[in-house]
């Protein structure tokens, strides 16, 4: 393929290896790279920029693949390269059902299906450009060229020769990789909305890129010429404008009282839905669908595809899916699984973030769920049910899920209120520049690639070389936490709120798992913003109080046909003088649903009230009778 003069000029003066391109190495800037690639392949620059924005927000992600095996700003997929190692996010022995009234489930998925052409777009880009796959993955300029070549290829296949941006609607829809009309249209609509609105940001490797807003009238009629299947929404509970289909999980009985893979219910009439739980799948889209349609496996309400944001619903919101590892949370939540299967994957596509945010906004409005991190939680924020289950709980979506950007898309950005006297902090580091030195992404003890994260690390003293905090649930021997990617013993996440414990210079301490956790929080580059709300503290005269992983009723609340569920404290305690941010105050509930026959399913409600607190990395519950609730403002 002939290179344009513009591209040749850029290549002559720049080095584009992913993982730290600076302005000095790229004197004409990333903007010029997009312009040159657009000119070479005859793609409108605005279209190329907008497609790249919807894939990666123009980031390089230090050369690491996305969780869906996509590389570089154009998300060229290479599923073989990205899965050179084994999966790591799904470590743990968690029982997804998390109901101690039933035998534990220990499902394990088989090998993922990696055959889809959508997972190997780097190969077609290599054919079109003459550049080998390795360079297309690692060289930013060539990656952008590869994306432009793919768009031009799709345009030629349509037989469209227009030069106006709106003439490229069909090619953009094809680039998404979607197999159905609604999802392809949703992706293309987001791209052209970005063209109309414009965008301007500094990438994760320090390059300013701008898409100037421009009027555009996309030729949406081209969608019919792509030969895609019509989207069968069926019974799916989704907002308009989202590519969504109904692929039900089976509710089947298979002998000796055993059944799967979820429980029938009638929420919110029987129980209020308080939470939406964010997961990643740890396997490919097709394998995920195969698993959720297996009655002997487990379940969740929705799955979202990475490349194009397509949504499949499997379990109705009224029913209880086996997804979060804690039966109380399961019975009060809706679970969203986001496709993530690349063993080396560390980032999520913008297309999936946007689809997920649309879905969560819809569900939150429908079920009156507040848009905050006490109610929109990661699987990694779900507490263990009893002491023995704490250590095995899962930790997805992990420290590279961009909570700040996600909540901006939800229309609920994390903003500060007041001064330190407000008494709470909301964790809010700059994602691109906040780069904790994690290990173990590819092999135990080996440094992970340097890239942006939502995690902030806590220390026992206000200095960077001080030991990390101790989580006795994860480390019963009392040893301090580590920087291993799955070890959140001493780690807080963006959007979480904690009670202020102390300040010294540029360091701030919060209450965390019964300890003071210090993090660097200079006023010139803060990693948290001040917040105001309620805090819980032990009542006067109590030296310490127990902490729970579920809000179960007292024994007297159970009818005769429902066995009493133990109210078992976790291995932690909350000591006098400590304060923890309150997420919600709730009654006590247990959903008895251990049979396929739903006639004896029962919601048990007690008189006990609980307070949900942000206790460590995960949420927890304390008995409302044990605590005083006070405004967080300091005297």
């Amino acid at each position: 393929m002939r290179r344009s003069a513009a591209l040749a000029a850029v290549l002559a003066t720049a080095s584009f290896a992913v993982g730290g391109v600076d302005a000095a190495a790229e004197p004409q800037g990333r903007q010029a790279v997009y312009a040159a690639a657009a000119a070479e392949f005859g793609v409108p620059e605005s279209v190329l920029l907008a497609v790249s924005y919807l894939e990666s927000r123009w980031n390089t992600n230090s050369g690491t693949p996305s969780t869906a095996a996509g590389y570089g700003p154009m998300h060229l997929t290479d599923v073989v390269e990205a899965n050179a190692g084994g999966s790591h996010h799904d470590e743990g022995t968690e029982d997804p059902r998390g109901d101690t009234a039933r035998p534990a489930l220990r499902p394990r998925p088989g090998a993922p299906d990696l055959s889809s052409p959508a997972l190997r777009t780097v190969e077609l880009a290599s054919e079109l450009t003459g550049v080998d796959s390795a360079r297309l993955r690692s060289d930013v300029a060539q990656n952008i060229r590869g994306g432009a070549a793919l768009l031009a290829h799709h345009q030629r296949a349509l037989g469209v020769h227009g030069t106006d941006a709106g003439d490229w609607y069909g090619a953009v829809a094809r680039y998404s990789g979607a197999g159905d009309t609604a999802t392809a249209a949703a992706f293309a609509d987001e791209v052209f909305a970005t063209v109309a609105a414009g965008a301007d940001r500094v990438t994760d490797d320090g390059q300013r890129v701008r898409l100037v807003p421009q009027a555009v009238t996309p030729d949406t009629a081209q969608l019919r010429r792509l030969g895609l299947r019509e989207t069968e929404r069926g019974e799916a509970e989704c907002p308009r404008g989202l590519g969504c289909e109904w692929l039900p999980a089976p509710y089947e009985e298979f002998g000796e009282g055993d059944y799967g893979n979820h429980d029938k219910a009638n929420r919110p009439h029987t129980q209020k839905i308080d939470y939406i739980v964010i997961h990643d799948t740890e396997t490919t889209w097709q394998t995920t669908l195969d698993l959720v349609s297996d009655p002997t496996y487990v379940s969740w309400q929705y799955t979202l595809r990475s490349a194009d944001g397509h949504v499949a619903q499997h379990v109705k919101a009224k029913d209880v899916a086996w997804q979060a590892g804690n039966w109380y949370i399961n019975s009060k939540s809706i679970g969203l699984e986001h496709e993530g299967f690349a063993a080396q994957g560390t980032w999520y596509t913008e297309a999936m973030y946007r689809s997920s945010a649309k879905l969560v906004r819809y569900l939150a409005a429908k079920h009156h769920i507040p848009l905050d991190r006490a109610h929109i939680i990661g699987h990694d924020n779900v507490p263990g049910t009893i002491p023995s289950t704490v250590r095995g709980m899962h930790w997805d979506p992990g420290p590279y899920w961009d909570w700040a950007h996600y909540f901006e898309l939800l229309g609920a950005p994390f903003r500060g209120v007041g001064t330190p006297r407000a008494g709470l902090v909301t964790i809010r580091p700059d994602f691109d520049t906040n780069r904790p030195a994690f290990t173990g992404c590819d092999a135990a003890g080996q440094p992970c690639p340097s890239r942006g994260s939502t995690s902030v690390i806590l220390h026992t003293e206000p200095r960077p070389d001080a030991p990390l905090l101790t989580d006795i649930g994860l480390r019963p021997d009392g040893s301090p936490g580590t920087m291993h990617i799955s070890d959140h013993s001493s780690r807080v996440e963006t959007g979480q709120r904690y009670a202020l414990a102390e300040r010294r210079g540029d360091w701030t301490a919060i209450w965390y798992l019964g300890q003071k956790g210090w993090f660097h929080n200079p006023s010139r580059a803060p990693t948290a913003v001040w917040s105001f709300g309620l805090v819980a503290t032990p009542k006067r005269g109590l030296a310490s109080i127990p902490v729970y992983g579920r809000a179960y009723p007292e024994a007297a609340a159970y009818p005769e046909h429902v066995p009493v569920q133990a109210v078992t404290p976790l291995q932690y305690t909350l000591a006098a003088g400590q304060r923890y941010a309150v997420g919600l105050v709730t009654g006590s509930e247990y959903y008895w649903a251990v049979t396929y026959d739903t006639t004896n399913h029962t919601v048990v409600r007690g008189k006990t009230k609980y307070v949900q607190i942000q206790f460590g990395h995960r949420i927890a519950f304390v008995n409302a009778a044990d605590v005083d609730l006070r405004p967080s403002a300091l005297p």
Side-chain angles (χ1 to χ4, degrees), residues 179-180 182-183 229-238 242-248 285-286 289 301-303 305 310-315:
D180 69 291
T183 304
R229 65 178 174 84
E230 289 297 320
T231 310
E232 297 292 338
R233 290 180 67 93
E235 300 178 29
E237 301 163 306
C238 291
L242 193 63
C244 189
E245 62 183 325
W246 173 243
L247 297 174
W285 175 259
Q286 187 55 54
L289 300 188
Q301 269 82 11
Y302 296 89
T303 306
R305 190 162 57 208
H310 180 65
V311 178
Q313 184 178 5
H314 315 293
V315 177

Side-chain angles (χ1 to χ4, degrees), residues 107-132:
R108 281 288 177 259
D113 178 1
L114 306 179
S115 62
S116 170
L119 304 181
R120 300 169 179 265
T121 61
V122 73
E123 296 173 5
L124 178 55
S126 180
E127 292 178 15
L128 294 170
T129 61
V131 177
D132 67 79

Side-chain angles (χ1 to χ4, degrees), residues 64-407:
T64 60
S66 75
T67 59
Y71 289 83
M74 298 304 299
H75 199 253
L76 301 181
T77 55
D78 190 337
V79 70
V80 175
E81 179 66 23
N83 283 276
S87 173
H88 60 268
H89 281 298
D90 204 29
E91 295 169 0
T93 57
E94 178 185 281
D95 166 13
R97 189 164 56 194
D99 183 4
T100 50
R102 293 182 267 187
L105 297 172
R106 293 286 187 262
R108 281 288 177 259
D113 178 1
L114 306 179
S115 62
S116 170
L119 304 181
R120 300 169 179 265
T121 61
V122 73
E123 296 173 5
L124 178 55
S126 180
E127 292 178 15
L128 294 170
T129 61
V131 177
D132 67 79
S133 295
R135 194 173 179 199
L136 284 166
R137 291 192 305 266
S138 62
D139 185 314
V140 175
Q142 297 300 340
N143 185 273
I144 293 170
R145 285 188 72 236
L150 286 174
L151 280 166
H153 170 77
H154 298 324
Q155 186 77 337
R156 288 193 299 273
L158 280 171
V160 178
H161 303 290
T163 57
D164 182 79
D167 295 330
W168 286 72
Y169 188 88
V172 169
R174 179 70 78 189
Y175 193 97
S176 73
D180 69 291
T181 55
T183 304
F187 181 91
D189 289 345
E190 285 285 352
V191 167
F192 284 94
T194 303
V195 171
D200 187 343
R201 70 183 301 267
V202 176
T203 67
D204 60 351
D205 62 340
Q207 295 289 303
R208 177 167 290 282
V209 180
R210 186 183 184 203
L211 170 56
V212 178
Q214 61 180 261
V216 61
T217 304
D219 182 5
T220 57
Q222 293 179 2
L223 189 67
R224 294 193 298 269
R225 299 165 56 184
L226 298 181
L228 304 176
R229 65 178 174 84
E230 289 297 320
T231 310
E232 297 292 338
R233 290 180 67 93
E235 300 178 29
E237 301 163 306
C238 291
R240 293 183 182 277
L242 193 63
C244 189
E245 62 183 325
W246 173 243
L247 297 174
Y251 185 66
E252 293 183 14
E253 189 174 24
F254 29 85
E256 299 183 359
D258 202 4
Y259 67 97
N261 58 13
H262 58 281
D263 280 295
K264 296 294 184 181
N266 192 26
R267 306 183 305 174
H269 302 293
T270 51
Q271 288 185 283
K272 185 181 184 305
I273 299 172
D274 285 326
Y275 309 100
I276 296 173
V277 183
I278 305 299
H279 305 254
D280 78 2
T281 64
E282 285 313 307
T283 192
T284 61
W285 175 259
Q286 187 55 54
T287 303
T288 299
L289 300 188
D290 293 342
L291 291 170
V292 80
S293 49
D294 178 355
T296 67
Y297 198 63
V298 295
S299 59
W300 47 92
Q301 269 82 11
Y302 296 89
T303 306
L304 291 92
R305 190 162 57 208
S306 181
D308 54 15
H310 180 65
V311 178
Q313 184 178 5
H314 315 293
V315 177
K316 289 297 186 73
K318 70 181 183 66
D319 296 326
V320 178
W322 301 347
Q323 43 101 12
N326 181 316
W327 183 245
Y328 175 79
I329 300 294
N330 280 345
S331 68
K332 306 279 288 178
S333 70
I334 294 172
L336 275 60
E337 287 276 5
H338 297 76
E339 184 185 29
F341 59 85
Q344 302 169 33
T346 56
W347 57 281
Y348 299 84
T349 66
E350 180 70 1
M352 187 163 66
Y353 276 128
R354 292 194 179 196
S355 286
S356 183
K358 289 178 182 177
L359 179 59
V360 168
R361 282 201 309 269
Y362 165 82
L363 294 171
K366 184 175 182 179
H367 297 287
H368 308 289
I369 302 170
L371 291 174
D372 61 39
R373 288 286 277 113
H375 298 82
I376 313 299
I377 60 177
H379 195 177
D380 58 334
N381 305 136
V382 175
T385 53
I386 56 178
S388 62
T389 66
V390 169
R391 194 174 187 181
M393 295 297 287
H394 289 173
W395 57 280
D396 55 301
Y400 301 126
W401 177 270
D402 192 343
W403 286 107
H405 179 55
Y406 191 55
F407 269 75

Side-chain angles (χ1 to χ4, degrees), residues 39 98 146 171 206 226 262 306 310 405-406 417 447 457 467 477 484 504 508 618 635:
L226 298 181
H262 58 281
S306 181
H310 180 65
H405 179 55
Y406 191 55
V417 177
I457 308 304
D477 62 359
H484 185 76
R504 294 186 201 170
T508 298
R618 302 184 188 270

